[in-house]
Amino acid sequence: GENVEQHPSTLSVQEGDSAVIKCTYSDSASNYFPWYKQELGKGPQLIIDIRSNVGEKKDQRIAVTLNKTAKHFSLHITETQPEDSAVYFCAASIGTSGSARQLTFGSGTQLTVLP
Amino acid sequence: DTAVSQTPKYLVTQMGNDKSIKCEQNLGHDTMYWYKQDSKKFLKIMFSYNNKELIINETVPNRFSPKSPDKAHLNLHINSLELGDSAVYFCASSQGGTSDTQYFGPGTRLTVL
């Protein structure tokens, strides 16, 4: 089955700096790669996703890049703010089982933005 | 306007008991999921239902039984609770088709004593 590795496990940055979180996946058939943000005591929330036919996607301060050859994808957050502090999860999905997406998650990155 | 809701938020119980967690979504989605998040925050899918039909069933002890009375509800019943069942359980839903976004509920923290 799919295996997703995520690094680093913790990341501290100064407010205004950039943060980068990296993930690798094992199954070359994976074609959907979402990123989730989980704040303390809450459920994960999708912040951005990318499909295998796209190399990069950007939404304001957040961008994701995908390298299918190397089987890795990264989350980039620019101009970090204290409210960006949370646990971030990457995930990969091979395809749909009917209408369901079976997501395999990375182990999470605790991002702390220092004021 | 809660999209995906779960009850209860906290559940503390003794080993050997049977308990249920309820989930409801008001997004009109066809597909619902149960995930388990362990103490190290690792998230793993347990089950998925589409229109009341079980379509994903990961390697989960048969003490766990999902039930979907209608497509807006997916409940999780756990028999003979064990210490290792302590975790946060998340319900999620998605529309399917061309939309893959999964919307998660707030979670239920289960503590087995």
Side-chain angles (χ1 to χ4, degrees):
Chain A
E2 174 68 283
N3 182 49
V4 178
E5 294 191 0
Q6 182 171 346
H7 299 280
S9 57
T10 61
L11 179 60
S12 291
V13 299
Q14 290 294 136
E15 183 177 357
D17 286 351
S18 296
V20 180
I21 303 170
K22 298 182 178 182
C23 289
T24 60
Y25 59 99
S26 61
D27 196 323
S28 56
S30 288
N31 59 10
Y32 175 65
F33 307 91
W35 285 89
Y36 283 83
K37 175 183 180 182
Q38 185 176 23
E39 297 177 338
L40 195 61
K42 296 185 179 180
Q45 182 179 16
L46 179 76
I47 55 171
I48 196 167
D49 57 12
I50 192 167
R51 298 181 189 280
S52 57
N53 59 348
V54 176
E56 184 173 358
K57 184 176 178 180
K58 190 173 181 181
D59 182 3
Q60 299 182 346
R61 297 187 296 110
I62 294 173
V64 57
T65 58
L66 171 65
N67 183 328
K68 286 191 295 182
T69 304
K71 290 190 284 188
H72 67 69
F73 55 114
S74 301
L75 178 70
H76 305 253
I77 306 174
T78 58
E79 301 172 23
T80 54
Q81 301 165 3
E83 51 265 39
D84 294 330
S85 296
V87 180
Y88 290 80
F89 291 94
C90 63
S93 174
I94 291 175
T96 57
S97 176
S99 65
R101 273 280 184 186
Q102 185 160 345
L103 299 178
T104 300
F105 283 87
S107 53
T109 297
Q110 173 69 61
L111 173 65
T112 302
V113 180
L114 305 168
Chain B
D1 289 352
T2 305
V4 182
S5 59
Q6 295 179 228
T7 53
K9 187 163 177 63
Y10 299 97
L11 186 52
V12 181
T13 188
Q14 299 286 332
M15 265 196 322
N17 284 350
D18 302 339
K19 290 293 178 186
S20 292
I21 305 171
K22 295 185 176 181
C23 177
E24 177 182 3
Q25 54 95 2
N26 63 6
L27 297 167
H29 289 168
D30 293 330
T31 306
M32 297 183 72
Y33 309 80
W34 276 110
Y35 287 86
K36 179 180 180 180
Q37 186 171 48
D38 64 21
S39 58
K40 295 184 179 179
K41 291 201 173 293
F42 187 69
L43 265 169
K44 186 170 171 58
I45 191 167
M46 300 173 68
F47 302 102
S48 176
Y49 267 74
N50 176 254
N51 278 324
K52 304 194 298 176
E53 181 183 351
L54 180 66
I55 53 174
I56 295 175
N57 185 357
E58 285 298 281
T59 307
V60 174
N62 57 16
R63 299 182 294 103
F64 290 79
S65 54
K67 285 187 171 53
S68 181
D70 55 62
K71 74 173 192 177
H73 296 84
L74 181 61
N75 304 322
L76 184 65
H77 189 76
I78 316 170
N79 290 326
S80 305
L81 278 156
E82 300 177 357
L83 293 176
D85 297 332
S86 295
V88 180
Y89 292 84
F90 287 101
C91 177
S93 74
S94 67
Q95 179 56 46
T98 57
S99 174
D100 291 311
T101 303
Q102 294 187 17
Y103 296 83
F104 283 75
T108 295
R109 181 174 294 277
L110 171 66
T111 303
V112 182
L113 303 174

